[in-house]
Amino acid sequence: MVHRVAWLLRECMALPEEIMVLSYNRSAAVEIRRRLWALAGADAAGVSVRTLHGLAMQLTGTSYAVAAEHGESVDFSAVIKQAAAYLRQAEAGDEAGPSVRRDRVLSGLRYLLVDEYQDINADHYDLISALAGRSIRSEEDRLFLMAVGDDDQNIYAFGGADVGFIKQFSADYQARTFYLLENYRSTAQIIHCASRVIAPARGRMKTGQSLRVDHARREAAPGGEWQDLDSLAQGRVHILAVAADAVAEAEAVLAELQRLNRLQPGNPSGYWGRFAVIARHWQSLEPLEALCRRQGIPVRSLRDEYLLDLHSTREGRVLIRLLSKRERRGGKPRLLLRWGALSRWFRCRYRQAVTAEIAHPYRALLAQFIAETEAATPGCQLVAADVLDALYEFGAGSQAAGQQINSPLTLLTAHRAKGLEFDHVLVLDGGGWRSAADDERRLFYVAMTRARKTLALCSRQGGRHAFIADCEPLCLKSRGQRVEGLGRTLERVWVAGPSQVWLSWPGSFAANQPIHRALAGLDWGSELVLRELGNGSEGWELADANGIAVGRMAKAFRPPPGRIIAVRVAAVLVRDKKQDNKAKLRTESWELVLPEIVYVTDGA
């Protein structure tokens, strides 16, 4: 990202207020803003950095916070279409002419950079085209547009992203093409192996181009510092030949992780925050997660299907109430916040800094949101309404690992890994990389290029891994060692999503009933009891340690197979009467718990 931002500053010869950067997601927008400040300081203050959704909502006057206050949701696709239509109407002009009207709408914007252009879909394409004024005949009424993207990392086709848009960009805008070929992240060994994997993909825009390490590292060893630290792999990509069994593969992976961790200089207590294990499918990670917990290795699992929006949790609602008029004397809402006020509030409330490693997942998300929000505009006051909208846009955040020495090991899928990076990456086989289709090749390439210093790839014996052969000549290949004595009985974790619980059930009790006091006393990790309903009723309910019923499971819920050994709170959500207006409710808002169930099975 450093070179993309540097290009923006160098190529856009304009006043800062004439420049806008559009990003695909909020986390990327925050990082771009942070880089701009690092490179240009206060000179970057006027550069507008927005997400595509955020810009569309600004143009249409849509607000996350206002929608939430009315119990409504925002249809992002509809908002983007409305914004594009509004801009096209501005092109038609009025008595003052099209130039004046567009200038009023765009507030003098002249230069536009769109990041991650390979991930846009048809609606995004229409909005960017209308914003740039692609169909306007007068050149002075069009924006100067620069798009940055990598077709090799187009992995969101299932969500509507179309790599064809970046391929036709030059024709759409009569644009010049520049290749940004310096890699600021990975060692030369990792770059060369990843390049061999992606090279056979059809229709690549960088065919005939070679990636290389950035200029500052041109004299560094191909394997980086680990060429000397690791006497086995010597900085090369390491292929681990593992048995065609999920538990055996997990044991070999754990042994390799422990080997690398012991090699970390000057850190005998552990270095797990710089490690990540990536798989094609989440199920491949479950045996490793169980083994790590058994060995006492701290682990963070970024489960794709269970990421909750921060604003729907207890932690997010606390900040929403703080920023809204409901907790202000006289009912007046906050307008401005001093820079650093949010992080100071967090420290006072939770006795932790926002930059600390926080085990509580949703408290960690809240800290991430605050840290990113304040880092985006260092030293500047924040507009409270903008912070509220940003909180709703934040959603589930990136839930990235803290990247600190004492952070946990991160387990995630290749799709979740996009945009993240780690010192040490190990990619599981798990039988998930059998298809050699181009979309699978790009996904494996993304997984490989998350690594900064070391990269290991699992290959099951007798398996049909589609991509190992492409980079094998450059790699060290060895038989994976196994951690002995762990047995075949594994603890697994099942986490309930909102669809598995009866969301409105606690709301059917008046605010003064014991259930709400019991819920207020629960937090992430609190012990629960899962029990069947009595009196001839079918179904399951949750109770706290005192036996007070605090939740009901959905009718379709069935306990996971195996022996249940623990039930705990995975998250505390907050619901409003406006969200369940068809139910018979006796309170305006209520909390409810989502459980996680730890159970034991034999084998994998």
Side-chain angles (χ1 to χ4, degrees):
M1 183 173 291
V2 174
H3 52 304
R4 301 204 296 265
V5 175
W7 258 69
L8 166 69
L9 294 176
R10 186 171 66 246
E11 296 297 318
C12 293
M13 303 300 295
L15 297 174
E17 57 269 20
E18 295 179 330
I19 304 174
M20 177 181 286
V21 183
L22 282 181
S23 180
Y24 186 73
N25 60 62
R26 182 185 181 278
S27 293
V30 169
E31 180 63 11
I32 290 171
R33 166 62 69 187
R34 190 183 69 80
R35 298 280 189 177
L36 281 170
W37 275 85
L39 289 170
D43 290 340
V47 178
S48 177
V49 183
R50 310 298 301 270
T51 64
L52 285 163
H53 291 133
L55 173 64
M57 293 179 73
Q58 177 187 351
L59 290 171
T60 58
T62 307
S63 167
Y64 291 98
V66 171
E69 283 289 328
H70 290 84
E72 302 170 352
S73 59
V74 176
D75 185 339
F76 296 119
S77 179
V79 169
I80 286 179
K81 289 176 180 177
Q82 291 168 11
Y86 178 63
L87 287 169
R88 283 193 292 269
Q89 289 175 2
E91 289 181 12
D94 53 20
E95 293 181 359
S99 176
V100 174
R101 188 176 183 192
R102 270 182 59 85
D103 278 349
R104 288 172 181 169
V105 172
L106 300 179
S107 301
L109 178 67
R110 294 298 297 155
Y111 296 84
L112 178 66
L113 167 69
V114 183
D115 197 27
E116 303 288 1
Y117 200 84
Q118 82 279 352
D119 289 331
I120 67 170
N121 60 30
D123 290 341
H124 300 149
Y125 176 78
D126 288 342
L127 174 58
I128 294 167
S129 296
L131 187 64
R134 184 164 65 92
S135 61
I136 297 177
R137 294 182 179 181
S138 171
E139 184 174 335
E140 66 178 21
D141 288 321
R142 302 187 206 123
L143 299 187
F144 293 93
L145 178 63
M146 180 165 66
V148 182
D150 183 359
D151 61 313
D152 289 339
Q153 296 193 52
N154 173 244
I155 62 172
Y156 295 136
F158 64 89
D162 189 342
V163 72
F165 292 130
I166 191 171
K167 291 181 176 180
Q168 70 187 51
F169 183 85
S170 293
D172 283 344
Y173 298 98
Q174 295 76 53
R176 292 179 295 166
T177 300
F178 298 88
Y179 293 96
L180 305 180
L181 301 174
E182 289 192 350
N183 183 297
Y184 287 75
R185 175 185 298 156
S186 307
T187 66
Q189 291 279 18
I190 295 171
I191 294 169
H192 295 332
C193 284
S195 296
R196 287 179 66 102
V197 167
I198 197 61
R202 293 164 295 181
R204 294 180 62 229
M205 296 180 70
K206 293 194 295 294
T207 299
Q209 305 290 333
S210 298
L211 293 180
R212 57 185 180 272
V213 297
D214 61 279
H215 185 74
R217 295 185 295 153
R218 66 190 184 283
E219 303 298 333
E225 61 188 285
W226 280 75
Q227 189 162 312
D228 295 325
L229 288 172
D230 184 0
S231 59
L232 175 62
Q234 297 179 337
R236 290 171 289 177
V237 174
H238 190 178
I239 297 174
L240 291 174
V242 299
D245 172 85
V247 175
E249 182 174 3
E251 290 175 338
V253 167
L254 182 57
E256 176 65 7
L257 293 172
Q258 291 175 326
R259 185 187 76 83
L260 289 172
N261 193 38
R262 287 192 295 268
L263 294 176
Q264 295 288 349
N267 187 48
S269 63
Y271 201 79
W272 296 114
R274 303 291 174 85
F275 286 80
V277 180
I278 301 174
R280 176 63 181 88
H281 303 291
W282 173 256
Q283 292 85 340
S284 302
L285 292 161
E286 289 183 328
L288 178 61
E289 180 183 24
L291 293 180
C292 287
R293 295 187 188 281
R294 182 178 297 182
Q295 292 288 90
I297 295 173
V299 62
R300 174 176 296 171
S301 304
L302 303 190
R303 296 171 179 261
D304 299 6
E305 63 271 38
Y306 300 129
L307 300 179
L308 303 174
D309 290 339
L310 177 60
H311 64 79
S312 68
T313 67
R314 173 190 283 170
E315 292 71 28
R317 287 300 182 96
V318 170
L319 182 55
I320 290 172
R321 288 194 296 269
L322 179 73
L323 296 174
S324 68
K325 62 184 179 182
R326 285 174 289 181
E327 292 209 354
R328 294 284 286 170
R329 293 178 181 176
K332 295 181 179 179
R334 286 175 171 83
L335 297 179
L336 296 174
L337 300 169
R338 292 181 180 178
W339 185 83
L342 292 178
S343 57
R344 289 192 293 272
W345 165 81
F346 185 92
R347 181 188 288 274
C348 290
R349 182 177 181 88
Y350 297 111
R351 299 293 187 267
Q352 287 180 294
V354 295
T355 54
E357 178 56 35
I358 301 171
H360 191 304
Y362 293 102
R363 197 173 295 172
L365 265 189
L366 179 59
Q368 178 189 339
F369 169 75
I370 291 173
E372 288 184 354
T373 298
E374 293 184 339
T377 52
C380 298
Q381 287 185 316
L382 302 173
V383 178
D386 291 345
V387 175
L388 266 177
D389 268 345
L391 177 61
Y392 283 99
E393 185 180 5
F394 183 74
S398 67
Q399 287 216 353
Q403 297 293 296
Q404 302 298 318
I405 288 177
N406 295 321
S407 300
L409 164 70
T410 301
L411 307 181
L412 70 171
T413 62
H415 280 108
R416 282 288 297 156
K418 176 82 182 299
L420 304 180
E421 56 184 61
F422 304 87
D423 281 358
H424 310 280
V425 170
L426 194 148
V427 184
L428 294 184
D429 183 327
W433 303 104
R434 295 180 178 179
S435 170
D438 284 349
D439 55 347
E440 292 294 300
R441 184 176 294 276
R442 290 192 296 269
L443 188 59
F444 191 71
Y445 173 78
V446 166
M448 294 178 71
T449 53
R450 301 310 93 197
R452 285 192 290 249
K453 297 180 179 180
T454 73
L455 173 63
L457 310 173
C458 287
S459 177
R460 287 189 174 184
Q461 297 173 358
R464 302 197 305 273
H465 200 299
F467 310 120
I468 288 293
D470 292 323
C471 61
E472 195 169 15
L474 300 180
C475 303
L476 167 73
K477 187 171 185 178
S478 69
R479 184 180 180 85
Q481 303 301 309
R482 294 177 62 176
V483 178
E484 300 296 336
L486 292 179
R488 308 292 293 179
T489 302
L490 299 177
E491 291 183 4
R492 297 180 180 271
V493 180
W494 179 89
V495 182
S499 63
Q500 275 97 29
V501 299
W502 189 346
L503 295 173
S504 62
W505 187 72
S508 63
F509 296 86
N512 61 353
Q513 293 298 301
I515 182 176
H516 298 295
R517 291 193 294 273
L519 283 165
L522 297 174
D523 201 354
W524 171 77
S526 296
E527 296 294 331
L528 297 171
V529 176
L530 178 68
R531 63 194 185 193
E532 291 188 81
L533 296 175
N535 301 322
S537 300
E538 294 185 1
W540 297 82
E541 70 177 2
L542 299 166
D544 67 4
N546 297 318
I548 300 175
V550 293
R552 288 274 177 94
M553 303 304 293
K555 289 183 179 180
F557 166 79
R558 296 293 181 272
R563 179 170 56 88
I564 294 176
I565 60 175
V567 183
R568 295 188 288 258
V569 175
V572 180
L573 274 69
V574 181
R575 298 281 291 181
D576 294 317
K577 193 173 184 178
K578 290 171 291 204
Q579 296 172 283
D580 292 280
N581 52 18
K582 295 182 180 180
K584 295 181 179 180
L585 302 170
R586 301 184 64 189
T587 183
E588 293 298 317
S589 65
W590 61 93
E591 293 184 333
L592 66 145
V593 293
L594 297 182
E596 70 173 22
I597 300 174
V598 183
Y599 64 103
V600 174
T601 61
D602 293 326

mmCIF file of all heavy atoms in Angstrom, residues 131 169 186 215 285 334 344 371 489 601:
data_model
loop_
_atom_site.group_PDB
_atom_site.id
_atom_site.type_symbol
_atom_site.label_atom_id
_atom_site.label_comp_id
_atom_site.label_asym_id
_atom_site.label_seq_id
_atom_site.Cartn_x
_atom_site.Cartn_y
_atom_site.Cartn_z
ATOM 1 N N LEU A 131 -19.277 9.338 -11.365
ATOM 2 C CA LEU A 131 -18.453 10.256 -10.583
ATOM 3 C C LEU A 131 -17.354 10.873 -11.447
ATOM 4 O O LEU A 131 -17.096 12.084 -11.398
ATOM 5 C CB LEU A 131 -17.839 9.514 -9.400
ATOM 6 C CG LEU A 131 -17.069 10.318 -8.365
ATOM 7 C CD1 LEU A 131 -17.991 11.293 -7.647
ATOM 8 C CD2 LEU A 131 -16.415 9.384 -7.350
ATOM 9 N N PHE A 169 -10.332 -0.821 -18.200
ATOM 10 C CA PHE A 169 -10.176 0.546 -17.704
ATOM 11 C C PHE A 169 -9.487 1.435 -18.732
ATOM 12 O O PHE A 169 -9.900 2.576 -18.961
ATOM 13 C CB PHE A 169 -9.394 0.538 -16.390
ATOM 14 C CG PHE A 169 -9.245 1.895 -15.764
ATOM 15 C CD1 PHE A 169 -10.241 2.409 -14.950
ATOM 16 C CD2 PHE A 169 -8.111 2.669 -15.991
ATOM 17 C CE1 PHE A 169 -10.120 3.661 -14.375
ATOM 18 C CE2 PHE A 169 -7.973 3.925 -15.415
ATOM 19 C CZ PHE A 169 -8.977 4.421 -14.607
ATOM 20 N N SER A 186 7.028 -9.157 1.189
ATOM 21 C CA SER A 186 7.579 -10.505 1.301
ATOM 22 C C SER A 186 9.039 -10.565 0.885
ATOM 23 O O SER A 186 9.558 -9.674 0.210
ATOM 24 C CB SER A 186 6.756 -11.470 0.431
ATOM 25 O OG SER A 186 5.381 -11.386 0.731
ATOM 26 N N HIS A 215 13.058 -1.367 -3.659
ATOM 27 C CA HIS A 215 14.417 -0.888 -3.890
ATOM 28 C C HIS A 215 15.248 -0.882 -2.614
ATOM 29 O O HIS A 215 16.448 -1.187 -2.642
ATOM 30 C CB HIS A 215 14.367 0.528 -4.486
ATOM 31 C CG HIS A 215 15.704 1.069 -4.875
ATOM 32 N ND1 HIS A 215 16.382 0.635 -5.994
ATOM 33 C CD2 HIS A 215 16.500 2.015 -4.283
ATOM 34 C CE1 HIS A 215 17.528 1.280 -6.084
ATOM 35 N NE2 HIS A 215 17.622 2.122 -5.065
ATOM 36 N N LEU A 285 -9.384 -26.231 9.674
ATOM 37 C CA LEU A 285 -8.686 -25.588 10.779
ATOM 38 C C LEU A 285 -9.133 -26.104 12.144
ATOM 39 O O LEU A 285 -8.442 -25.894 13.145
ATOM 40 C CB LEU A 285 -8.899 -24.077 10.728
ATOM 41 C CG LEU A 285 -8.245 -23.348 9.560
ATOM 42 C CD1 LEU A 285 -8.898 -21.991 9.348
ATOM 43 C CD2 LEU A 285 -6.751 -23.188 9.789
ATOM 44 N N ARG A 334 -23.823 15.232 21.380
ATOM 45 C CA ARG A 334 -22.452 15.715 21.212
ATOM 46 C C ARG A 334 -22.236 16.121 19.755
ATOM 47 O O ARG A 334 -22.723 15.467 18.841
ATOM 48 C CB ARG A 334 -21.460 14.612 21.592
ATOM 49 C CG ARG A 334 -21.350 14.366 23.084
ATOM 50 C CD ARG A 334 -20.429 13.179 23.369
ATOM 51 N NE ARG A 334 -20.138 13.069 24.787
ATOM 52 C CZ ARG A 334 -20.924 12.472 25.677
ATOM 53 N NH1 ARG A 334 -22.075 11.965 25.267
ATOM 54 N NH2 ARG A 334 -20.586 12.402 26.948
ATOM 55 N N ARG A 344 -9.231 7.541 25.676
ATOM 56 C CA ARG A 344 -9.195 7.774 27.126
ATOM 57 C C ARG A 344 -10.439 7.198 27.797
ATOM 58 O O ARG A 344 -10.361 6.608 28.879
ATOM 59 C CB ARG A 344 -9.067 9.274 27.408
ATOM 60 C CG ARG A 344 -7.691 9.851 27.063
ATOM 61 C CD ARG A 344 -7.523 11.244 27.625
ATOM 62 N NE ARG A 344 -8.403 12.204 26.987
ATOM 63 C CZ ARG A 344 -8.098 12.875 25.886
ATOM 64 N NH1 ARG A 344 -6.934 12.678 25.278
ATOM 65 N NH2 ARG A 344 -8.943 13.759 25.367
ATOM 66 N N ALA A 371 -9.114 2.938 17.763
ATOM 67 C CA ALA A 371 -7.734 3.180 17.336
ATOM 68 C C ALA A 371 -7.680 3.605 15.873
ATOM 69 O O ALA A 371 -6.963 4.546 15.507
ATOM 70 C CB ALA A 371 -6.887 1.931 17.566
ATOM 71 N N THR A 489 -8.754 -37.878 20.573
ATOM 72 C CA THR A 489 -9.953 -37.236 21.099
ATOM 73 C C THR A 489 -9.763 -35.730 21.071
ATOM 74 O O THR A 489 -8.864 -35.201 21.721
ATOM 75 C CB THR A 489 -10.247 -37.699 22.532
ATOM 76 O OG1 THR A 489 -10.406 -39.118 22.528
ATOM 77 C CG2 THR A 489 -11.519 -37.061 23.055
ATOM 78 N N THR A 601 -15.281 -35.153 20.423
ATOM 79 C CA THR A 601 -15.536 -36.247 19.489
ATOM 80 C C THR A 601 -14.291 -37.110 19.423
ATOM 81 O O THR A 601 -13.189 -36.682 19.777
ATOM 82 C CB THR A 601 -15.848 -35.727 18.079
ATOM 83 O OG1 THR A 601 -14.721 -34.999 17.588
ATOM 84 C CG2 THR A 601 -17.071 -34.833 18.086
#
